[in-house]
């Protein structure tokens, strides 16, 4: 069924916003045909995976995520950020966190007879960043002005001040801690003006470090945030951000994601340890206004080193993380992502969100991959992108 | 200690401009792996490490590539590099071929033999490192090896083409299984439909000199600016500290290679790289160093401005570019080392993570990669 989305314009913000747009129009450097990229600045930065587990309640271990964002321009910038809490919760204990689809155990402690109900809850906040300034925070703790956390070693905003909105300080910035611990989800930040109106400023760079630390153990997984560039002169300053397509205000999301990976269960040829990979996918289209999660069917094409092709598909709703050998089956050693089935150590997987007739929703995806050595460490890495598609994706802001 | 100096930041003028054209996430015609390490004893890399290279053909056609290792380990690899122990800058090259959509891999210390009898992986046989279509005869690197790998897409005759069919990753692995991974830096060929590449031994990146590039650019230009968002040197890791596992410290090692290279004459290019550092208080600092052929260094080896005790904040943004347009462009990758206390008194453990650098702008002067004549 065709669905039309309601477009809500910020009353009063439009005229003021247009004036500000004139000031900053020269700062937008997105060329025609701009595309999302994790190695370039953007007006929107997407962190597909944020993880917190300070009590080691899940199989990931005691971990936290360090979020770093830098303003690479010579003018102050404000960002509006949205956490999406993708925790599941047990049907028999709504406050107990679980991972939907996970086998019974630390990731799914619901017990017999109960199910893990997926959830997607958004929370947003604002940060004011001065010219060229790098800022950072721990997802578990958030961040406030440094004068509020004297005596701690937590990242904070050093340029306090009592006048929110001043371009010379971080006044008005307050990052909340993620809403639960353990937590898994995503973070999306976009450049806005002082009225929270989106602006065409490709000045943001971000990266995240998922850090696992325990006695005598440290493991760091780092990836670059994915930047979505604004296209100069196209932003109508409403609360519907159009990504790609004919009416694009921002660069298009990729048509296909490509991941080079070890097949699960492969033996690392250097350490001899078994390799597993996790994949996290989030849709480009997101509706923070009505909190309606987007479901996209993802087609996976998997090639081994013999040029043999396998394929499978899986629906992804709002946020999905999975060990690759559980994408197509609950028996990992029978998966097409298993080294025992694929027959070679490494493979190439191409992922495509299947488009539908619903013009209000794009079905492209973004993501990040993690690679683990069982008994060793891990590494995160960015996926490759290929092409764009004529359909737009949309971000609906509250 | 590398040559480093402080210069007034006001003269630098690092204005962020239009997009650069190298990429770490799109299929390209030239792949650069700026940080390839293989050191069984850790004599050059502080700890034993090896590198797994992964390259894929993202097209539905057969793809060929010619690859170059550049070994920048010192002449006497048992001692650190110095004026009296200069880097070798020794090049070794080889060919690879990939069938449609084929991924391949090799461990740089082992190379990969062209051996059709390699057994495939099964549920009971996991020592299957060579399984799959072998991409060619890939030589092992000497031990120790520190340097770069560059692969250039060519046609069946060996002439460079603008196919944009290659993607790659490098995984740095320690014997105990700690890993860091980065995407190869890709340089896009121009006009892939018409293949504007003249197929000669001069690869013209961006607005290269007309005497060697009469037909203009064959590949996109190298970036004007590289951006690294990271820790000040020696700053503590806030997660480790919050979990009570300190004391901790974070160090960053940066590997840079000039975009211009002359494999024919084995003449290493030198670039003076300017660093602009911005701390969390929006205060600016600067430094510079010289990169010849390949260089890898801790940021604190360039200048004290990278140290937390000097720069005054835990996090810094660092922008890098060639000092003047006459120098070659540079591309690179960073690797962070997070150090915390180990289980035994005085012992430390290290976690490593590689990060691709953000690129911005396009160099006004192009770069040239000159290949060896036998390649033609």
């Amino acid at each position: 069924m065709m669905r039309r989305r309601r477009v809500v314009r910020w009353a009063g913000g439009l005229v003021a916003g247009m004036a500000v747009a004139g000031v900053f129009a020269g700062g937008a450097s997105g060329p025609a045909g701009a595309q999302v990229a994790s190695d370039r600045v953007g007006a929107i930065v997407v962190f597909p995976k944020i993880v917190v587990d300070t009590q080691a309640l899940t199989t990931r271990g005691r971990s936290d995520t360090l979020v770093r964002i830098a303003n690479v321009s010579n003018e102050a910038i404000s960002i509006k950020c949205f956490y999406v809490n993708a925790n599941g919760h047990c049907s028999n204990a709504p406050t107990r966190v679980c991972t939907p689809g996970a086998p019974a155990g630390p990731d799914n402690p619901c017990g017999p007879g109960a199910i893990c109900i997926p959830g997607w809850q958004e929370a947003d906040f604002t940060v004011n960043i001065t010219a060229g300034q790098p800022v950072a925070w721990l997802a578990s703790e958030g961040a406030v002005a440094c004068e509020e956390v004297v005596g701690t070693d937590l990242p904070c905003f050093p340029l306090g001040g009592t006048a929110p909105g001043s371009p010379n300080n971080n006044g008005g910035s307050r990052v909340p801690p993620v809403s639960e611990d353990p937590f898994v989800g995503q973070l999306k930040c976009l450049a806005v003006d002082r009225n929270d109106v989106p602006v065409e400023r490709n000045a943001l760079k971000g990266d995240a470090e998922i850090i696992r630390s325990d006695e005598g153990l440290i493991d760091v997984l780092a990836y670059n945030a994915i930047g979505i560039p604004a296209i100069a002169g196209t932003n109508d300053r409403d609360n519907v951000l159009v990504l790609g397509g004919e009416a694009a205000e921002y660069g298009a999301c990729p048509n296909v994601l490509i991941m080079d990976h070890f097949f699960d269960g492969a033996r690392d040829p250097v350490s001899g340890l078994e390799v597993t990979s996790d994949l996290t996918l989030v849709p480009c289209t997101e509706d923070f206004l009505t909190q309606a999660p987007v479901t996209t069917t993802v087609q996976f094409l998997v090639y081994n080193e013999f040029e043999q092709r396998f394929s499978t598909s899986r629906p992804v709703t709002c946020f999905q993380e999975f060990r690759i050998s559980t994408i197509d089956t609950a028996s990992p050693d029978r998966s097409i992502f298993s080294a025992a089935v694929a027959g070679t150590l490494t493979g190439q997987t191409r992922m495509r969100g299947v488009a539908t007739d619903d013009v209000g929703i794009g079905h492209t995806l973004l993501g990040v991959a993690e690679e683990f050595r069982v008994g060793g460490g891990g590494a995160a890495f960015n996926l490759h992108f290929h092409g764009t598609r004529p359909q737009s994706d949309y971000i609906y802001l509250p | 200690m590398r040559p480093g100096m402080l210069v007034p930041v006001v003269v630098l003028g690092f204005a962020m401009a239009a997009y650069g054209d190298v990429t770490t996430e799109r299929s390209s015609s030239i792949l650069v792996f700026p940080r390839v390490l293989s050191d069984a004893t850790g004599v050059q890399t502080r700890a034993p490490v090896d590198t797994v290279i992964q390259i894929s053909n993202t097209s539905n056609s057969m793809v060929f590539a010619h690859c170059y290792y550049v070994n920048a380990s010192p002449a006497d690899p048992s001692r650190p590099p110095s004026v009296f122990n200069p880097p070798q800058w020794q090049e070794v090259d080889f060919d690879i071929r990939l069938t449609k959509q084929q991924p391949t891999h090799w461990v740089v210390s082992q190379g990969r033999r062209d051996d059709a009898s390699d057994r495939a992986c099964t549920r009971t046989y996991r020592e299957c490192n060579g399984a799959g279509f072998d991409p060619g005869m890939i030589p092992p690197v000497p031990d120790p090896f520190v340097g770069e790998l560059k692969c250039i897409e060519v046609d069946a005759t060996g002439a460079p083409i603008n196919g944009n069919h290659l993607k790659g990753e490098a995984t740095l692995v320690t014997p105990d299984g700690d890993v860091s991974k980065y995407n190869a830096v890709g340089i896009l060929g121009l006009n892939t439909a018409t293949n504007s590449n003249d197929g000669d031994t001069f690869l013209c990146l961006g607005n290269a000199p007309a005497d060697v590039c009469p037909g203009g650019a064959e590949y996109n230009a190298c970036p004007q600016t590289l951006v690294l968002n990271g820790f000040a040197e020696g700053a503590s890791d806030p997660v480790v500290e919050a979990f009570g596992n300190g004391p901790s410290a974070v160090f960053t090692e940066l590997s840079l290679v000039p975009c211009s290279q002359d494999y024919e004459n084995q003449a290493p290019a030198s670039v003076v790289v300017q660093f602009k550092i911005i701390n969390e208080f929006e205060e600016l600092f600067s430094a510079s160093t010289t990169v010849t052929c390949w260089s890898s260094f801790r940021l604190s080896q360039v200048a004290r401005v990278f140290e937390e005790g000097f720069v005054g904040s835990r996090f810094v943004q660092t922008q890098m570019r060639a000092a003047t347009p006459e120098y070659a462009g540079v591309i690179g990758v960073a690797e962070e080392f997070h150090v915390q206390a180990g289980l035994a008194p005085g012992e430390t453990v290290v976690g490593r993570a590689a990060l691709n650098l953000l690129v911005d702008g396009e160099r006004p002067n192009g770069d040239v990669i000159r290949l060896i004549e036998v390649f033609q």
Side-chain angles (χ1 to χ4, degrees):
Chain A
M1 189 178 83
M2 187 73 80
R3 180 164 51 147
R4 292 285 178 187
R5 295 266 167 155
R6 185 167 62 100
V7 178
V8 179
R9 293 181 182 277
W10 279 314
L14 188 59
V15 175
M18 289 176 68
V20 178
V23 174
F24 289 127
S29 58
Q35 297 171 341
V36 305
S38 64
D39 53 7
R40 308 188 194 288
V41 291
I44 303 173
V45 284
V46 182
F47 299 82
K49 187 164 201 173
I50 303 290
V51 175
V52 173
D53 182 5
T54 65
Q55 305 300 317
L57 297 175
T58 66
T59 52
R60 177 172 282 275
R62 200 173 185 201
S63 48
D64 202 348
T65 303
L66 175 69
V67 176
R68 297 190 295 212
I69 297 178
N71 172 9
V72 299
S73 77
N74 292 326
E75 295 176 71
I77 193 167
S78 297
I79 57 174
K80 184 84 172 173
C81 296
F82 300 84
Y83 272 126
V84 176
N85 179 356
N87 280 346
H89 295 87
C90 297
S91 59
N92 58 347
T95 58
R96 187 178 299 167
V97 173
C98 55
T99 303
D107 292 338
N108 188 352
C110 299
I115 59 171
C116 182
I117 302 171
W120 301 281
Q121 180 63 46
E122 169 268 325
D124 57 81
F125 56 90
T126 301
V127 178
N128 297 311
I129 310 175
T130 64
Q133 187 188 24
V135 296
W137 64 83
L138 292 183
S140 66
E141 299 286 346
V144 295
C146 291
E147 59 232 37
E148 295 183 47
V149 288
V150 174
T152 74
D153 196 28
L154 297 172
C156 54
F157 299 118
L159 299 174
T162 55
S166 164
N168 299 318
N169 63 49
N170 305 121
S173 303
R174 183 171 284 269
V175 180
V178 292
S179 50
E180 291 180 300
D181 181 6
F183 173 95
V184 66
Q186 62 155 317
L187 173 67
K188 191 169 277 176
C189 296
L190 60 134
V192 296
D193 65 14
R194 297 288 172 169
N195 297 314
D196 279 354
V197 177
V199 294
E200 298 167 350
R201 292 193 57 198
N202 295 320
L204 299 176
K205 174 200 185 319
D207 53 69
E209 292 190 341
I210 300 170
I211 301 171
R212 186 162 58 106
S213 172
D214 223 323
E215 279 188 30
L217 180 150
I218 183 168
D219 189 21
V220 185
L221 295 81
Y223 68 87
N224 283 346
I226 301 160
I228 302 176
I231 300 171
T234 60
N235 195 329
D236 63 5
R237 313 182 62 71
D238 66 3
N239 70 330
V240 180
L241 312 185
V242 184
L243 282 55
E246 288 185 359
E249 299 168 325
Y250 294 86
C253 285
N255 188 32
V256 175
L257 302 177
I258 307 175
M259 174 176 65
D260 273 4
H261 56 89
F262 283 83
F263 285 110
D264 273 8
R267 290 253 184 272
D268 177 81
V270 177
S271 66
L273 299 175
E274 185 179 322
V275 184
T276 64
S277 297
D278 279 11
L279 174 67
T280 299
L281 296 175
V282 296
C284 253
T285 291
E286 274 187 302
D287 189 344
F288 297 125
L289 178 64
T290 63
Q291 303 267 337
V294 174
T295 297
T296 296
T297 300
V298 185
Q299 289 288 345
F300 297 84
L301 294 183
V302 186
Y303 294 87
N304 66 9
E305 293 187 50
F306 289 112
E307 192 198 321
Q308 293 162 325
R309 196 193 81 182
F310 311 88
S311 72
T312 187
S313 61
R314 177 89 180 251
V316 167
T317 301
C318 191
F319 170 98
Q320 194 87 45
E321 69 163 338
F322 20 52
R323 177 157 297 182
I324 57 173
S325 55
T326 63
I327 289 174
D328 57 323
T329 173
S331 302
D333 60 343
R334 294 178 177 275
S335 167
I336 60 174
F337 292 93
S338 156
V341 173
T344 65
L345 238 60
T346 68
Q348 177 188 170
T349 295
R350 301 170 71 92
M351 294 158 271
R352 175 178 57 87
V354 179
T356 67
D357 293 334
D358 189 339
V359 297
I361 301 176
H363 284 280
T364 59
L365 300 153
L366 298 173
V368 67
E370 297 162 283
E371 190 176 290
F372 300 96
R373 300 308 188 265
V374 177
F381 58 100
N382 288 93
L383 305 180
H384 272 238
F385 301 148
H386 182 79
T388 58
R389 58 178 63 175
Q391 297 95 331
S392 298
D393 279 275
Y394 302 90
I395 299 174
Y396 300 92
L397 303 177
Chain B
M1 180 70 80
R2 296 195 173 261
M5 63 180 185
L6 298 177
V7 295
V9 73
V10 290
V11 301
L12 293 176
F14 280 61
M16 303 303 280
Y19 279 2
D21 286 305
V22 300
T23 175
T24 58
E25 57 195 14
R26 296 181 199 282
S27 305
S28 306
S29 297
I30 301 175
L31 293 182
V32 184
F33 300 82
R35 184 172 173 82
V36 178
L37 309 176
S38 178
D39 189 346
T41 59
V43 64
Q44 290 295 325
T45 56
R46 295 187 180 91
V49 66
D50 209 339
T51 305
V52 181
I53 299 293
Q54 290 172 264
I55 295 179
S56 285
N57 171 9
T58 61
S59 79
N60 288 324
S61 306
M62 188 89 174
V63 164
F64 303 86
H66 197 73
C67 298
Y68 294 81
Y69 278 124
V70 175
N71 185 358
S73 64
D76 178 357
S78 64
R79 294 187 296 124
S82 68
V83 175
F84 302 106
N85 190 26
Q88 301 174 55
W89 296 316
Q90 179 63 49
E91 169 269 323
V92 171
D93 55 272
F94 57 93
D95 290 304
I96 62 171
R97 59 185 180 276
L98 298 169
T99 61
K100 75 169 188 177
Q101 306 285 355
Q102 189 199 346
T104 194
H105 79 280
W106 67 88
V107 181
V108 298
S109 66
Q110 301 169 13
R112 185 155 178 171
R113 297 185 61 82
D114 216 344
D115 184 354
S117 66
D118 289 326
R119 287 179 61 188
C121 310
T122 66
R123 289 190 195 178
T124 55
Y125 182 74
R126 297 295 177 93
E127 305 304 321
C128 48
N129 186 24
F133 293 147
D134 293 311
M137 182 67 183
I138 298 169
V141 298
D143 181 32
F145 178 96
V146 293
E148 67 151 333
L149 171 67
K150 188 169 280 167
C151 290
I152 296 154
E153 186 175 353
V154 296
D155 63 17
T157 69
I161 58 171
N162 299 342
N164 293 339
H165 296 139
L166 297 173
K167 75 182 285 290
E169 295 86 16
T171 311
L172 301 157
V173 189
T174 64
D176 62 357
D178 193 13
V179 288
S180 63
K181 189 160 189 156
Y182 66 88
N183 288 347
V185 180
I187 302 174
L188 291 160
L190 298 172
N191 305 318
T192 52
T194 56
N195 188 28
S196 62
N197 199 320
D198 61 11
D200 69 1
T201 57
F202 292 92
L203 310 186
C204 305
L205 281 55
N207 187 27
D211 54 339
V212 292
C213 297
E218 297 166 328
Y219 300 86
N220 275 339
C222 274
Q224 176 83 314
T225 306
L226 304 176
V227 183
L228 170 65
N229 194 19
F231 285 87
E233 286 287 273
S236 61
D237 180 319
V239 175
V240 174
E241 301 296 329
F243 288 176
N245 296 323
S248 64
V250 182
F251 302 93
T252 303
E253 200 162 304
L254 190 63
S255 296
L256 296 176
V257 293
C259 289
S260 290
Q261 276 173 318
D262 185 347
Y263 294 120
E264 173 73 355
N265 297 299
Q266 300 274 331
S270 278
V271 186
V272 173
V273 179
Q274 292 281 357
F275 297 85
K276 171 184 168 185
I277 304 112
I278 308 166
N279 69 7
E280 293 179 71
F281 298 96
E282 200 189 317
E283 295 166 327
L284 303 185
F285 305 86
S286 73
S288 66
T289 193
T290 301
V291 172
T292 301
C293 190
W294 180 89
S295 196
S296 189
F297 46 86
R298 284 202 170 166
L299 292 174
S300 55
Q301 290 178 290
V302 175
R304 286 200 60 210
V305 290
F306 289 99
E307 296 175 6
E308 186 191 27
F310 190 99
V311 78
S313 74
R314 178 185 264 160
F315 302 103
V316 294
Q317 178 190 163
T318 304
Q319 299 180 7
M320 296 157 263
R321 65 163 52 170
T324 68
E326 286 69 38
Y327 285 111
V330 289
I331 47 184
V333 68
E335 189 172 18
E336 283 186 4
F337 296 85
H338 295 236
V339 184
Q340 75 166 46
L343 289 174
E347 184 188 62
T348 58
V349 290
V350 180
R352 56 197 303 163
L355 280 164
N356 282 106
L357 304 179
L358 182 141
V359 297
D360 194 89
E362 186 176 302
R363 278 172 46 73
N365 292 10
D367 289 283
V368 176
I369 299 173
R370 185 175 182 187
L371 309 177
I372 54 177
E373 289 291 344
V374 69
F375 187 42
Q376 198 171 28

